Amino acid sequence: MKWDISQMSEWTYKDFPPAAVIPEAGNSHYYITGGWRSERPVRSDEKCTQCLLCWIVCPDTSVMVADEKVVDFDLDHCKGCGICAQVCPVDAIDMVPEGCDLPGVK
Amino acid sequence: MPEHKTLAATGNSVVAEAMRQCKPDVVAAYPITPQTTIVEEFAAFVAKGKTHCEYVTVESEHSAMSACIGASAAGARVMTATASQGLALMWEELYIASGMRLPIVMANANRALSAPINIHCDHSDIMGARDAGWVTLFAETAQEAYDNTIMSVRIAEHPDVLLPVMSCLDGFITTHSIDRVSVMDDESIAGFVGDYEPQNALLDTDNPVAHGNFSGLGGPYFEFKKQQREAIENSRAVIKSVGEEYSALSGRPFDVIETWGMEDAEVAVVVIGSTAGNARTVARHLRADGKKVGVVKVRVWRPFPYAEIAAALKGLKAVAVLDRSESFGAEGGPLFLEVRSALYDLAERVPVVNYIYGLGGSDVKLELIEQVFTDLADIAAGAAAPAGLVYLGAREEA
Amino acid sequence: MQQLTEIRWHARAGQGAVTAAKVVAETALAADQYLQAMPEYGPERMGAPIKAFTRISSEPIEIHCNIEEPDIVIVLDDSLLEIIDVAEGIHPEGAIIVNTCTPPEQVRTALGVADSVKVACVDASGIALDTIKRDIPNTPMVGALIKVAGVVDMDSFKGLLAKNLSKKFGQEMIDANWASVDRAYEEVTVA
């Protein structure tokens, strides 16, 4: 990480890069948006055919794939939009009401 | 040593020449009277291969400044020009250019704003943009328009500043009059402005960055504005040092204000732009009659030279501020508000009166300036200052 | 002491008054004079009455306003005499030069100027038609100006004229223009 923004809330005007430029590509990864979610996707491995449609449509690249197979959801960034559940041709994804006890999510 | 060449040329023509000499990578502009011949002549330079520049023809000033912002964020040296309604149409982009800290240099051919429609000189256009965060220089003559354009590039691109700079010249009076102007050779100007080394260029793919970001409620928007304030305050020292360096090169003096007769003046006129010459001409006649009069010309409008103005006008018996634009409902024109504010901290009060003049290109006859100096002499002798602002030379009821 | 000459041009848009004012200014520059030449721009069309101004001085020119008390007035179209007071503010020792076939005595009467004001007339349109083959009276009018008031040097003016014309035209056009200047210089009459 070239740019440590962990203390950003303490920064004065002298600490910010001028012009609101973000000097590092891809740093939105560090911005945890999972807390915006009211429903979370839950996938049934039995029903899933690994067609990867959910991976294609997810607007937050939160469908995690390994070896060309869906393995999990990135719940730090999934906003719970439910598009994955909508497009799933075999109804393998359910949207489940969110609890308040998610680890790592503010 | 630079090679100097003396020309008979219009203000617009030498601004186009200065732009060519500063070698912008991108110029995006839309023609509007009285700026047109700047971009016309510059476009001809591009067409004839006299400069290597991407000239973007756009469909409006809104697009012109948008294209300039995109090009500047990409890392290009960017210049443009506009006037009046065109500047007004750029409004939101003016703030974006300064907020994104893009060192765009723009000439503005000062012209009145509609309605009624008028194509002639006043400062309504730029005064409306005075809070947009641009460093703003004013030219009295075609010579100063040439000089200011070149200095603007250095000021804008200075790492302590990184702000857009507007270089203003009076519509028709300066833009279209043929004047005697001295220009320097290409190499000297190229050496003076140097190469532009952009920070955070979008086209620097080895160091990818994001521009134009969001900073909403609770975000550091407020802090970014403080950065902008710091940048324009930094420009004060940069303008002085760039001005000194340019003076050494050109042999022509430069300062943020120019004073005439102020060593022992008892009364003075403060003025911006081409009318300064009229004021000095009248002052010179009055001096010949033994009257202690002076003239202060403001060459840098933003950042406003408060300290210099206060020092120049300290101890005077009366000061007149000539505004070539209105600030309807305010206590006076924009220059008046600044000058009087600059004098507020002086221990001794200096009476200041305000004249609105020359709107819509209304001719600035020497008699009008004489009238101002007569009023000043009366005030200095104890007469009451005119109540409120005076519309200098406007036809009034008998 | 500053030697300032102020010229006011009256013409109809398209007659080349602005171009003439410009070349006169450039000629003055060649003699190391200071100069100013400005048209009074408006949203005019071809044929509309226009004014242009030229200042020539030995010292830098600082004033930026219209010329209201000219030393010299040049009128490129005599039909303007009926609709515009071209003599307005003319210097008592000044000169008014008119493009017209009318004799100067008659023009003087029409203008009603003081005896000390020179009134000069030349058929610049006729000369232009003879030489340049087009009714563009601006160039011959400068020839008349040089004869009546001096102001700029003839050779220097003709040199600049050739330089400007050579960008677009050949020697034939340059010769025609020079001939128009010479003829106006010879033919202008003063009353």
Side-chain angles (χ1 to χ4, degrees):
Chain A
M1 182 162 48
K2 288 189 280 184
W3 194 40
D4 182 4
I5 57 171
S6 56
Q7 302 302 310
M8 190 191 269
S9 59
E10 308 296 319
W11 285 3
T12 74
Y13 75 101
K14 287 182 185 295
D15 301 315
F16 287 96
V21 160
I22 295 174
E24 184 180 8
N27 77 333
S28 59
H29 180 71
Y30 305 114
Y31 189 43
I32 304 299
T33 51
W36 303 13
R37 194 169 58 236
S38 59
E39 289 185 322
R40 105 170 81 163
V42 176
R43 188 182 60 97
S44 159
D45 212 20
E46 283 164 24
K47 289 186 187 172
C48 177
T49 63
Q50 295 297 351
C51 69
L52 294 182
L53 259 183
C54 55
W55 174 76
I56 292 169
V57 299
C58 177
D60 285 304
T61 57
S62 293
V63 177
M64 298 163 81
V65 170
D67 294 332
E68 300 186 359
K69 287 193 164 58
V70 177
V71 291
D72 207 349
F73 295 106
D74 169 8
L75 292 179
D76 279 353
H77 297 99
C78 167
K79 299 190 186 103
C81 69
I83 293 174
C84 54
Q86 281 285 328
V87 300
C88 181
V90 294
D91 291 333
I93 302 172
D94 285 328
M95 296 306 291
V96 178
E98 194 55 85
C100 303
D101 54 349
L102 283 174
V105 176
K106 284 184 250 181
Chain B
M1 279 305 287
E3 207 177 293
H4 298 269
K5 193 167 74 179
T6 307
L7 309 173
T10 64
N12 276 358
S13 181
V14 291
V15 168
E17 174 71 356
M19 285 171 68
R20 184 188 64 73
Q21 294 184 315
C22 292
K23 298 184 180 173
D25 302 301
V26 175
V27 168
Y30 191 79
I32 178 168
T33 303
Q35 155 264 33
T36 309
T37 48
I38 297 178
V39 293
E40 214 170 73
E41 291 194 27
F42 186 80
F45 289 141
V46 177
K48 291 175 185 165
K50 293 192 173 176
T51 183
H52 182 70
C53 172
E54 187 69 33
Y55 186 88
V56 190
T57 51
V58 286
E59 71 281 10
S60 74
E61 287 84 359
H62 193 277
S63 310
M65 187 47 68
S66 298
C68 287
I69 288 167
S72 184
R77 176 178 282 167
V78 179
M79 300 178 88
T80 185
T82 193
S84 184
Q85 308 299 128
L87 184 64
L89 190 55
M90 283 181 183
W91 232 245
E92 56 173 346
E93 280 75 27
L94 294 178
Y95 284 80
I96 293 167
S98 60
M100 287 176 69
R101 307 289 301 281
L102 301 174
I104 298 163
V105 171
M106 175 161 73
N108 185 58
N110 298 126
R111 165 186 149 185
L113 290 170
S114 295
I117 291 183
N118 180 295
I119 60 168
H120 289 278
C121 175
D122 71 32
H123 300 157
S124 307
D125 51 2
I126 171 58
M127 289 306 168
R130 67 186 165 159
D131 298 335
W134 287 55
V135 171
T136 307
L137 314 181
F138 262 93
E140 175 188 333
T141 57
Q143 184 68 66
E144 288 186 1
Y146 173 80
D147 296 340
N148 284 358
T149 306
I150 294 162
M151 282 186 282
S152 293
V153 174
R154 280 281 301 276
I155 296 163
E157 292 173 1
H158 194 285
D160 293 348
V161 180
L162 286 175
L163 285 173
V165 179
M166 208 169 333
S167 172
C168 299
L169 60 163
D170 281 351
F172 289 106
I173 300 165
T174 312
T175 60
H176 284 64
S177 284
I178 295 165
D179 206 343
R180 178 168 157 150
V181 193
S182 174
V183 300
M184 283 179 273
D185 62 291
D186 289 359
E187 219 170 295
S188 299
I189 301 305
F192 177 79
V193 295
D195 291 331
Y196 175 42
E197 281 160 25
Q199 299 185 4
N200 300 318
L202 282 172
L203 288 181
D204 178 4
T205 48
D206 293 335
N207 298 290
V209 295
H211 274 272
N213 297 301
F214 177 80
S215 180
L217 188 63
Y221 181 91
F222 198 49
E223 279 71 23
F224 285 118
K225 293 300 125 181
K226 190 165 160 60
Q227 285 185 347
Q228 262 180 268
R229 164 57 84 161
E230 189 175 72
I232 203 158
E233 290 303 329
N234 289 346
S235 77
R236 293 181 191 277
V238 172
I239 291 166
K240 292 227 174 194
S241 71
V242 169
E244 273 170 32
E245 209 182 307
Y246 188 79
S247 280
L249 187 74
S250 66
R252 292 180 287 275
F254 171 85
D255 209 341
V256 294
I257 64 167
E258 182 191 288
T259 58
W260 187 92
M262 295 307 294
E263 307 74 33
D264 63 344
E266 291 176 351
V267 301
V269 161
V270 185
V271 64
I272 293 182
S274 60
T275 302
N278 297 24
R280 279 198 309 276
T281 301
V282 172
R284 205 167 268 133
H285 290 151
L286 293 169
R287 277 267 165 184
D289 292 342
K291 309 267 170 52
K292 289 189 174 170
V293 298
V295 175
V296 175
K297 177 178 83 182
V298 177
R299 185 146 169 193
V300 176
W301 162 250
R302 281 289 184 272
F304 190 76
Y306 292 99
E308 291 83 352
I309 287 282
L313 301 178
K314 188 180 176 188
L316 263 63
K317 291 180 179 167
V319 169
V321 180
L322 306 189
D323 268 290
R324 202 163 194 161
S325 62
E326 252 286 15
S327 178
F328 295 111
E331 205 169 354
L335 181 59
F336 171 77
L337 300 176
E338 299 290 0
V339 170
R340 204 160 67 159
S341 175
L343 299 180
Y344 184 80
D345 289 333
L346 293 178
E348 206 177 327
R349 193 175 161 276
V350 178
V352 190
V353 285
N354 190 202
Y355 296 82
I356 304 288
Y357 77 99
L359 300 186
S362 148
D363 195 28
V364 188
K365 301 178 203 315
L366 298 185
E367 302 94 87
L368 296 174
I369 310 284
E370 282 162 15
Q371 184 195 322
V372 171
F373 276 114
T374 306
D375 288 354
L376 287 178
D378 291 347
I379 297 166
L389 56 82
V390 179
Y391 261 63
L392 188 62
R395 288 188 287 273
E396 310 224 4
E397 286 172 90
Chain C
M1 188 63 200
Q2 184 176 7
Q3 286 292 320
L4 174 67
T5 305
E6 296 189 312
I7 306 173
R8 189 172 68 210
W9 306 70
H10 291 277
R12 293 190 181 275
Q15 290 185 307
V18 173
T19 310
K22 185 173 186 277
V23 184
V24 168
E26 284 174 349
T27 313
L29 178 71
D32 200 26
Q33 300 276 87
Y34 290 84
L35 56 106
Q36 208 178 57
M38 64 269 184
E40 190 182 72
Y41 274 97
E44 76 266 1
R45 297 166 300 278
M46 293 280 277
I50 61 144
K51 279 189 268 187
F53 308 98
T54 305
R55 285 190 175 95
I56 295 170
S57 168
S58 55
E59 304 291 322
I61 300 167
E62 294 190 312
I63 39 176
H64 294 278
C65 51
N66 294 345
I67 292 171
E68 301 199 317
E69 292 174 1
D71 301 294
I72 298 159
V73 167
I74 301 175
V75 184
L76 267 68
D77 190 317
D78 62 2
S79 67
L80 291 169
L81 298 178
E82 287 171 29
I83 53 172
I84 291 165
D85 180 8
V86 299
E88 189 181 10
I90 184 76
H91 190 278
E93 306 292 326
I96 301 175
I97 309 168
V98 186
N99 169 24
T100 182
C101 306
T102 314
E105 295 76 13
Q106 238 171 294
V107 173
R108 170 180 288 288
T109 312
L111 291 172
V113 288
D115 289 347
S116 55
V117 175
K118 264 191 215 172
V119 175
C121 294
V122 63
D123 180 14
S125 288
I127 292 171
L129 284 169
D130 273 356
T131 52
I132 314 168
K133 311 293 179 199
R134 286 177 67 190
D135 183 4
I136 304 179
N138 59 351
T139 308
M141 283 304 277
V142 179
L145 166 71
I146 292 171
K147 176 74 167 288
V148 173
V151 183
V152 291
D153 178 67
M154 179 61 113
D155 290 342
S156 174
F157 171 69
K158 280 163 82 173
L160 267 166
L161 194 60
K163 194 176 140 202
N164 289 349
L165 286 168
S166 67
K167 288 174 196 159
K168 281 189 192 170
F169 302 101
Q171 190 59 41
E172 204 179 332
M173 185 54 99
I174 293 170
D175 289 341
N177 273 272
W178 280 357
S180 78
V181 176
D182 289 334
R183 273 192 55 189
Y185 185 90
E186 296 304 329
E187 292 175 21
V188 65
T189 51
V190 181

